[in-house]
């Protein structure tokens, strides 16, 4: 019978320097473990290795970065200087770069092993990165010799309390014996989606540890290697549905709020769908402005409309948002839909919600999602996003442009979305005798009373005006003449009649 007793001590972690990657790895690399990062040249392996070293040193650790058959250290520093994690002053003190190619060429794997062990011991390293493992593999006499080299390195560094990252070129055979000798394998890839290059990573092995499986996108920018976990895997499904709130969040448009029995329920999701120019964005801004008036922080996050243009539109309908923007009660963020990674923008949105403690959200541009990602992901992606927002106490209003300009039907690009959304408001145009009228209808409110009739509404410098009843809408839909508005009285005095025009058109 074994005398080994299970321990309840928490597993020590070594953060990677990328919070998104830490989320995939259940908190980071396990202290003392050996991990392999595999990928074709240019996929980001060297950046990730350096990011780990600088992050570890910033936390009080010591690191060694070993290179073999790769770029010179000075050239590497040139590429890293533009990244925020780079700190020149720690190099040579807490972070050491060592070239091992000459040793490998002269003494083989045995000499390389001695150099690695000595570097860990002399520099008291708690992180070791070996870049260019393929060179060591090619110098090995056999697969068995290379496996013994990897095994010995892992055992030595585990005993020394040193976490090891080995970087190698992508291997086509996932059953390659080298993968069995390490505690985890991370695969970096880059592929084309149309004309755009997209970087992805996948944790294909993590011994004895839970992880977020599947592929996840990442970027290399000034922050280094930034990982965005796939939203469907990152956001857990709710354990239980929260109780419906009796509190209502109105739009500040009296007749519309009356149709909604006071407004949409708090923490419920709403879809505002309609044709281009029908007033979706302005109605969304009314929703946020009403929240500001009630002391509820709001966030607008959209695609296409620039911030200045959006604020100018709001001012044009009488919404003065400058004080709310200055006080932080309202935040307006606009992003370009070009070359957009949906998971990246979703994580950015959630971070903004938490940073500003937003309680009302307008997400403008939902119809762009099918063009940004695999359409098969869209509904699952939206579900995960709504779950994440609801868990943060947010009441989201999603705006979707429909291709249908006229008529009573709703035809949005996200078919099936109506089952996910709690409340649906539809805006449309109706044409009568060469004139366009705007109509508003409530299609759905989950477990809540609402008025199902259509109403006419209009936009003016005083804001959005919804009719007090459905009478005018009924007249329009039935093709009846509407009474003409009374003409404004003439400002010309009766005592001063118009003079007849002379020839040539002058009075």
């Amino acid at each position: 019978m074994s005398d080994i007793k299970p321990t309840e001590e928490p597993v020590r972690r070594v953060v990677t320097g990328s919070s998104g990657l830490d989320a995939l790895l259940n908190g980071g690399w396990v202290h003392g473990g050996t991990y392999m990062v595999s990928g074709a040249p240019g996929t980001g392996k060297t950046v990730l290795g350096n990011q780990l070293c600088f992050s570890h040193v910033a936390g009080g650790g010591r690191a060694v970065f070993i290179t073999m058959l790769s770029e010179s250290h000075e050239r590497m520093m040139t590429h890293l200087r533009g990244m925020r994690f780079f700190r020149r002053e720690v190099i040579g003190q807490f972070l050491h770069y060592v070239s091992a190619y000459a040793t490998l060429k002269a003494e083989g794997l045995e000499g390389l092993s001695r150099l690695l062990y000595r570097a860990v011991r002399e520099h008291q390293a708690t992180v070791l990165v070996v870049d260019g493992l393929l060179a060591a593999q090619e110098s090995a006499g056999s697969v068995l010799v290379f496996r013994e080299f990897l095994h010995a390195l892992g055992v030595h560094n585990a005993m020394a309390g040193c976490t090891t990252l080995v970087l190698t070129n992508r291997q086509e055979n996932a059953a390659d014996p080298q993968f069995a000798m390490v505690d985890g394998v991370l695969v970096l890839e880059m592929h084309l989606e149309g004309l755009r290059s997209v970087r992805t990573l996948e944790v294909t092995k993590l011994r004895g540890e839970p992880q977020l499986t599947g592929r996840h996108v990442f970027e290399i920018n000034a922050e280094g290697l930034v990982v965005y976990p796939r939203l469907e895997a990152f956001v857990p499904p709710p354990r239980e549905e929260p109780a419906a709130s009796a509190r209502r969040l109105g739009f500040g448009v009296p007749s519309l709020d009356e149709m909604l029995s006071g407004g949409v329920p708090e923490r419920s999701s709403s879809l505002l769908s309609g044709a281009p120019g029908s007033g979706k964005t302005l109605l969304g801004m009314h929703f946020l402005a009403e929240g500001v008036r009630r002391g509820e922080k709001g966030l607008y996050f959209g695609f296409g409309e620039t911030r200045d243009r959006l604020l100018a539109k709001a001012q044009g309908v009488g919404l003065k948002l400058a004080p709310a923007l200055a006080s932080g009660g309202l935040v307006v963020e606009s992003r370009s839909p070009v070359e957009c990674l949906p998971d990246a923008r979703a994580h950015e949105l959630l971070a903004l919600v938490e940073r500003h403690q937003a309680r009302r959200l307008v997400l403008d541009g939902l119809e762009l999602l099918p063009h940004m990602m695999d359409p098969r992901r869209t509904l699952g992606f939206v579900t995960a996003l709504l779950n994440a927002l609801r868990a943060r106490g947010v009441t989201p209003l999603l705006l979707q442009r429909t291709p249908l300009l006229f008529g009573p039907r709703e035809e949005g690009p996200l078919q099936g979305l109506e089952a996910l959304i709690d409340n649906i408001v539809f805006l449309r145009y109706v044409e009568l005798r060469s004139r366009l009228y705007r109509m508003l209808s409530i299609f759905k409110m989950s477990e809540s009373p609402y008025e199902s009739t259509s109403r006419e509404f209009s936009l003016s410098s005083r804001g959005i005006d919804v009719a007090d009843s459905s009478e005018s809408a009924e007249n329009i839909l039935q093709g009846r003449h509407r009474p003409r508005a009374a003409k404004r009285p003439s400002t010309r005095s009766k005592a001063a009649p118009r003079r007849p025009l002379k020839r040539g058109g002058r009075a």
Side-chain angles (χ1 to χ4, degrees):
M1 184 174 181
S2 174
D3 294 330
I4 300 177
K5 296 181 180 180
T7 177
E8 299 296 331
E9 294 182 2
V11 177
R12 291 178 61 187
R13 300 283 177 177
V14 176
V15 297
T16 65
S18 170
S19 59
L21 182 54
D22 289 339
L24 298 186
L25 299 172
N26 195 31
W29 310 114
V30 172
H31 175 73
T34 299
Y35 300 91
M36 180 176 293
V37 178
S38 169
T43 51
K45 302 184 301 297
T46 301
V47 172
L48 178 59
N50 278 282
Q51 193 167 341
L52 167 63
C53 290
F54 281 97
S55 172
H56 188 64
V57 167
R62 304 176 71 92
V64 175
F65 195 104
I66 305 290
T67 59
M68 292 180 289
L69 277 181
S70 61
E71 58 190 348
S72 68
H73 295 165
E74 189 57 38
R75 182 175 292 274
M76 187 187 300
M77 297 303 107
T78 300
H79 296 157
L80 295 174
R81 283 192 187 103
M83 297 185 174
R84 293 193 178 97
F85 63 75
F86 180 78
R87 293 291 182 271
R88 182 79 189 195
E89 64 273 11
V90 304
I91 299 174
Q93 297 187 36
F94 306 103
L95 171 57
H96 299 269
Y97 287 86
V98 178
S99 176
Y101 176 66
T103 300
L104 176 64
K105 185 176 180 180
E107 304 176 32
L109 282 185
E110 292 185 3
L112 176 61
S113 296
R114 289 192 295 269
L115 183 148
L116 297 178
Y117 303 159
R118 184 169 62 250
V120 170
R121 181 177 63 254
E122 291 180 354
H123 298 297
Q124 300 178 341
T126 45
V127 158
L128 172 69
V129 175
V130 182
D131 191 2
L133 189 67
L134 185 61
Q137 184 177 7
E138 291 175 344
S139 69
S142 66
V143 173
L144 178 60
V145 171
F146 182 68
R147 292 179 65 185
E148 290 175 344
F149 162 76
L150 275 182
H151 176 71
L153 178 63
V155 171
H156 175 274
N157 287 353
M159 295 179 63
C162 180
T163 304
T164 305
L165 208 65
V166 291
L167 315 180
T168 185
N169 286 350
R170 176 168 50 91
Q171 298 293 318
E172 298 295 343
N173 182 10
D176 194 291
Q178 63 176 317
F179 295 137
M181 310 310 299
V182 293
D183 298 305
V185 178
L186 179 65
V187 179
L188 308 184
E189 293 184 340
M190 187 163 56
H191 64 276
L192 288 176
E193 290 185 0
L195 299 178
R196 178 180 62 170
S197 292
V198 177
R199 300 177 185 270
T200 62
L201 59 80
E202 181 180 5
V203 182
T204 59
K205 174 184 178 181
L206 199 61
R207 184 174 290 160
E209 290 288 321
Q211 76 269 12
L212 296 183
T213 57
R215 293 185 178 182
H216 309 268
V217 297
F218 71 94
E219 295 176 320
I220 298 177
N221 54 34
E223 299 294 334
L225 194 144
V226 183
V227 180
Y228 305 103
R230 197 174 68 258
L231 202 64
E232 302 93 305
F234 180 74
V235 178
R239 294 183 178 179
E240 57 182 20
E241 194 69 23
S245 173
R247 186 167 178 267
R248 298 280 177 157
L249 277 62
F251 284 77
V253 179
S255 296
L256 174 58
D257 290 339
E258 178 188 349
M259 296 176 70
L260 296 167
S261 298
V264 297
E266 186 179 27
R267 295 194 305 274
S268 68
S269 58
S270 302
L271 177 66
L272 192 57
S273 183
S278 57
K280 300 182 301 299
T281 301
L282 290 177
L283 196 53
M285 298 308 293
H286 273 74
F287 179 71
L288 295 177
E290 177 65 9
V292 169
R293 191 180 71 82
R294 294 177 176 272
E296 300 161 354
K297 291 187 176 180
L299 169 64
Y300 173 92
F301 193 89
F303 301 92
E305 291 273 20
T306 64
R307 186 177 187 271
D308 291 342
R309 186 174 179 181
L310 182 69
L311 295 177
K313 280 186 175 182
Q315 186 173 0
V317 295
L319 294 177
K320 303 186 184 303
L321 304 178
L325 291 168
S327 67
L330 176 63
V331 177
V332 175
E333 296 285 342
S334 180
R335 299 290 182 270
S336 171
V338 180
E339 299 285 330
C340 179
L341 295 174
D343 290 291
R345 299 290 77 81
H347 283 280
E348 181 185 14
L349 170 61
L350 296 177
L352 285 169
V353 165
E354 293 180 352
R355 185 185 314 149
H356 298 287
Q357 296 297 301
R359 288 297 169 262
R360 296 191 183 208
L361 166 70
V362 169
L363 179 57
D364 196 353
L366 196 65
E367 72 280 351
L368 298 173
L369 275 181
H371 306 289
M372 297 178 182
M373 62 167 55
D374 185 340
R376 293 171 297 182
R377 279 192 62 195
T378 305
L379 294 183
F381 179 88
V382 175
T383 301
L385 181 59
L386 293 178
N387 287 338
L389 293 170
R390 188 178 294 112
R392 289 161 173 79
V394 178
T395 303
L397 178 64
L398 286 64
L399 311 187
Q400 177 186 234
R401 183 179 63 192
T402 64
L404 189 65
L405 290 178
F406 307 102
R409 294 177 295 113
E410 178 186 19
E411 294 184 0
L414 295 178
Q415 300 299 326
L417 190 64
E418 62 278 358
L420 308 177
I421 303 294
D422 298 315
N423 319 305
I424 299 178
V425 179
F426 183 44
L427 310 181
R428 70 183 188 274
Y429 292 110
V430 175
E431 185 179 18
L432 175 62
R433 302 188 186 279
S434 73
R435 182 176 174 181
L436 296 180
Y437 298 92
R438 288 183 169 92
M439 294 287 181
L440 180 151
S441 307
I442 301 173
F443 276 11
K444 169 186 177 183
M445 284 191 73
S446 296
E447 301 179 2
S448 180
Y450 64 95
E451 185 177 327
S452 59
T453 59
S454 296
R455 292 196 188 184
E456 182 189 5
F457 74 98
S458 60
L459 307 178
S460 71
S461 60
R462 297 185 301 274
I464 293 180
D465 180 31
V466 178
D468 294 334
S469 70
S470 61
E471 182 180 358
S472 61
E474 292 174 1
N475 288 334
I476 295 170
L477 293 174
Q478 293 176 11
R480 299 174 183 172
H481 285 287
R482 296 185 69 205
R484 295 189 175 209
K487 294 183 178 180
R488 295 182 179 179
S490 174
T491 58
R492 189 179 301 275
S493 172
K494 292 183 179 180
R498 294 180 60 185
R499 291 184 299 168
L501 293 177
K502 296 181 180 180
R503 292 184 179 179
R506 294 184 180 181

